[in-house]
Amino acid sequence: MGRYLLRRLANYLVLVVVAASLTYFLAGLSLNPRAKFEGRNPPLPETSITKTLDEYNMNPDTPILTRFGHWAEGVAHGDLGKTIEGDDVNDDFGRRVGVSTRLLLLATIVGSIGGVALGAFGAIRQYRLFDRFTTLASFFVLAMPVFVIGVALKIGATALNDGTQTIKVLGEYDPQYAGQWNVDALVNRAQHMLLPALTLIILQVALYSRYQRSTMLDVLGSDFLRTARAKGLRRRKALVKHGLRTAILPVVPLLVYNIVLLFTGATFTEKTFGWHGMGELLVDSIGKQDVNSVAAVGLFTAVLVLIAGLLSDVLYAALDPRVRVR
């Protein structure tokens, strides 16, 4: 088991280096940071723009290999460079990772457990009213763009508020609670988190329930379930202990990868509700021609893939003993 995970870790590390390098080259060759300064009024002197770009390691006139070498040396020492505004990318990353974590933690836990439970129960109740209703509702949700769901929830919350501010529709917290973590501040943050978290939960429940229903149907007629029942095991215990454990195996990689990669994939949700997380950073940094921030997001995403791959391997090995003896 240890050797198996070490081999997988080595493969993922190579993937991280290749993916992060390609992202930097792609951003460095396609983005033009000089355009960010040339459109200002009054116009900046050309020498001043060149000096600033050299200082930030974003001068398009510098050979891409030279810029990549400086960036890679900084990354090796834990320095992701400067943003196009001159701030440290590390500081911006730390703040935005915290924002995305607070938004995604609850949503992914509830969404994944809810999706697996709903799909498994729908398979057990195949073609009955519950199964038909959840199938129709899941396809309806999956057919809609995520920002449509978010806007619909905002409209519904505004109508429910009826002039009050019980459900907050924009931002992570009210300005007067900035930097506070007392009871009132936590309640305010919960009011702000309700709608974006609900958006992500609805999507994840719809997605995972479809996969889980399909895999659960495959195992319901299996010989090992009939054997378990023949040995006197009650139907519910046989389904949960043997059926669900087997049916969840094919869903594990999808669950883990989707949950971890949501850190950079919840862009539309963050944009819709004004949360300044990692997904928003990727879109904004491309619009600002910010090479270092785009490269940092690429590196972060590659590391997330590494973490997701290792988590998936560990969970798979824990659920399937055959993997542990290879």
Side-chain angles (χ1 to χ4, degrees):
M1 180 66 182
R3 290 183 179 179
Y4 169 75
L5 290 178
L6 283 176
R7 285 200 305 271
R8 302 291 290 179
L9 177 61
N11 292 335
Y12 289 133
L13 284 176
V14 173
L15 173 65
V16 168
V17 173
V18 172
S21 302
L22 289 177
T23 303
Y24 185 88
F25 282 116
L26 185 62
L29 292 172
S30 59
L31 299 180
N32 181 21
R34 188 180 292 278
K36 174 73 175 176
F37 299 93
E38 289 178 338
R40 293 185 179 179
N41 190 17
L44 297 173
E46 190 66 25
T47 53
S48 176
I49 296 175
T50 302
K51 182 180 178 182
T52 302
L53 291 175
D54 285 336
E55 182 183 343
Y56 296 166
N57 190 36
M58 293 189 208
N59 190 348
D61 297 329
T62 304
I64 186 66
L65 286 176
T66 305
R67 281 183 279 155
F68 175 73
H70 291 157
W71 179 77
E73 183 181 359
V75 170
H77 292 86
D79 181 10
L80 297 172
K82 297 283 187 182
T83 68
I84 198 78
E85 285 92 7
D87 301 322
D88 285 332
V89 176
N90 293 41
D91 295 339
D92 199 25
F93 248 59
R95 182 176 58 80
R96 288 178 180 270
V97 167
V99 171
S100 292
T101 302
R102 287 192 288 274
L103 172 61
L104 298 176
L105 187 62
L106 174 67
T108 53
I109 292 174
V110 175
S112 55
I113 294 176
V116 169
L118 201 69
F121 191 68
I124 296 171
R125 310 284 294 180
Q126 188 182 19
Y127 299 141
R128 297 186 183 179
L129 180 61
F130 177 83
D131 181 42
R132 293 184 186 278
F133 175 76
T134 54
T135 299
L136 182 64
S138 298
F139 284 131
F140 181 72
V141 169
L142 293 174
M144 282 194 296
V146 61
F147 64 86
V148 173
I149 299 174
V151 171
L153 288 176
K154 289 174 75 171
I155 294 172
T158 303
L160 287 174
N161 280 336
D162 194 22
T164 66
Q165 291 293 320
T166 306
I167 304 175
K168 309 289 184 179
V169 297
L170 200 63
E172 188 187 353
Y173 49 80
D174 289 342
Q176 64 268 29
Y177 294 109
Q180 297 183 31
W181 294 96
N182 52 39
V183 175
D184 291 339
L186 290 175
V187 171
N188 183 261
R189 286 174 181 271
Q191 290 174 304
H192 281 272
M193 184 185 291
L194 178 62
L195 293 184
L198 189 58
T199 303
L200 294 172
I201 289 171
I202 290 173
L203 282 171
Q204 291 181 73
V205 168
L207 177 65
Y208 299 144
S209 67
R210 293 300 86 207
Y211 284 98
Q212 190 58 61
R213 179 184 181 276
S214 177
T215 56
M216 192 70 186
L217 284 174
D218 289 339
V219 303
L220 283 179
S222 302
D223 293 337
F224 65 86
L225 273 186
R226 283 193 290 270
T227 304
R229 294 293 309 279
K231 288 183 175 179
L233 210 60
R234 297 180 62 180
R235 183 172 184 267
R236 177 179 299 179
K237 192 170 184 179
L239 287 174
V240 173
K241 187 176 180 181
H242 299 287
L244 184 58
R245 181 174 178 176
T246 304
I248 204 173
L249 278 175
V251 187
V252 166
L254 174 74
L255 280 171
V256 175
Y257 276 94
N258 270 291
I259 289 171
V260 175
L261 292 179
L262 262 181
F263 274 92
T264 56
T267 306
F268 290 113
T269 304
E270 292 177 356
K271 280 288 189 183
T272 302
F273 294 100
W275 280 59
H276 306 302
M278 292 299 296
E280 185 196 61
L281 173 63
L282 175 61
V283 176
D284 288 350
S285 58
I286 293 174
K288 294 177 182 175
Q289 312 290 324
D290 191 341
V291 176
N292 289 339
S293 292
V294 173
V297 173
L299 174 64
F300 181 70
T301 305
V303 173
L304 288 180
V305 172
L306 181 149
I307 295 172
L310 286 177
L311 276 176
S312 176
D313 292 338
V314 171
L315 287 174
Y316 213 96
L319 293 170
D320 189 352
R322 294 172 298 178
V323 175
R324 297 196 293 267
V325 299
R326 289 175 184 172

